[in-house]
Amino acid sequence: MTSTPKLRIAVLGSGTGSNARALCRACAENDLAYSVALIVSTSEKAGICDVAHEERVSLAILEPPNNGKPLADALEQVICEHAIDVLVLAGFMRLLPQKTIDVLHGRVLNIHPALLPDFGGQGMFGIHVHEAVIASGATETGATIHVVTGDYDKGEILAQSKIRLLPGESSTDLQARVKTIEHSLYPAAVDTYVRSLLPFLADSQKSGSKPVFS
Ligand code: GRF
């Protein structure tokens, strides 16, 4: 009996790595359609590097100036070397180069700690998002998974999870509560997305044509 191979994802970020850890653990504990094949950090000091070691996942550190190589080129190299099918951003604070999106034929997802399209865009990252949500008087917030395009926090929204704000809640407390829902939302949303890609993989295999995925 043949079984469909799991798609290989890479997680890219420069934060504490809590979402990378959640993705690794979800793969270990469930029959998901993907495996975490690589973690990429743009800072050697970031917590996400420790997560790679703890979860025994290959780690690539692409820290500027990166031997003078543009980030897009360095990313393309590790994506090819590790046969990555889908790139998953988690705590990547910059605009992803269009070249990287093109290399993966658009198969790039991001998690944002608010309910997009609200509280997104340039400068809306980390604690700033939660401060803005509280300052706005909003009664609910949450997390959003979306397809990555060449703009900050744009692209098709694939999944959201909501929580209500608590009276007098601090931005750091709110950030911690949003992270908690991120850790179940992201693994599930990536699984749904990857499964939506599988029919194309199966068709290409059936017809004997070149596989869509690496
Ligand atoms: C998360 O809050 C995510 O929504 C945002 O960056 C943060 C990354 O946190 N894009 P971590 O490094 O996964 O803990």
Side-chain angles (χ1 to χ4, degrees), residues 159-170:
Q160 288 186 313
S161 183
K162 295 180 184 178
I163 53 172
R164 292 193 69 77
L165 269 78
L166 301 176
E169 187 169 24
S170 70

Side-chain angles (χ1 to χ4, degrees), residues 15-20 90-91 93 110-113 179 182:
T16 64
S18 67
N19 280 285
M93 310 297 183
N110 181 44
I111 185 163
H112 184 76
K179 279 227 179 156
E182 289 184 359

Side-chain angles (χ1 to χ4, degrees), residues 37-210:
L38 176 68
I39 289 177
V40 185
S41 175
T42 49
S43 165
E44 66 175 348
K45 295 194 177 73
I48 195 170
C49 299
D50 300 330
V51 172
H53 297 311
E54 288 158 18
E55 300 298 324
R56 298 173 194 276
V57 172
S58 297
L59 171 67
I61 298 174
L62 307 183
E63 190 171 64
N66 203 26
N67 294 327
K69 202 179 235 188
L71 179 62
D73 292 351
L75 277 170
E76 182 171 0
Q77 187 176 338
V78 295
I79 285 166
C80 292
E81 278 174 4
H82 292 266
I84 298 303
D85 298 299
V86 177
L87 181 62
V88 163
L89 309 187
F92 182 68
M93 310 297 183
R94 301 155 58 181
L95 203 55
L96 191 70
Q98 184 63 45
K99 191 176 172 190
T100 306
I101 299 171
D102 293 344
V103 161
L104 285 157
H105 303 283
R107 298 190 303 269
V108 186
L109 305 184
N110 181 44
I111 185 163
H112 184 76
L115 298 173
L116 293 175
D118 297 334
F119 305 105
Q122 190 164 13
M124 275 292 161
F125 62 88
I127 199 69
H128 306 302
V129 177
H130 307 290
E131 287 167 353
V133 168
I134 290 171
S136 76
T139 55
E140 59 181 21
T141 186
T144 301
I145 313 300
H146 66 96
V147 176
V148 171
T149 66
D151 287 326
Y152 283 103
D153 303 323
K154 296 277 197 267
E156 184 187 357
I157 291 174
L158 302 182
Q160 288 186 313
S161 183
K162 295 180 184 178
I163 53 172
R164 292 193 69 77
L165 269 78
L166 301 176
E169 187 169 24
S170 70
S171 54
T172 49
D173 285 352
L174 185 57
Q175 183 178 42
R177 284 206 302 129
V178 169
K179 279 227 179 156
T180 303
I181 60 169
E182 289 184 359
H183 298 161
S184 52
L185 179 69
Y186 213 2
V190 173
D191 192 52
T192 302
Y193 175 76
V194 164
R195 285 180 197 278
S196 78
L197 300 174
L198 291 178
F200 301 101
L201 175 63
D203 282 351
S204 66
Q205 283 181 330
K206 261 185 261 161
S207 66
S209 61
K210 198 165 174 276

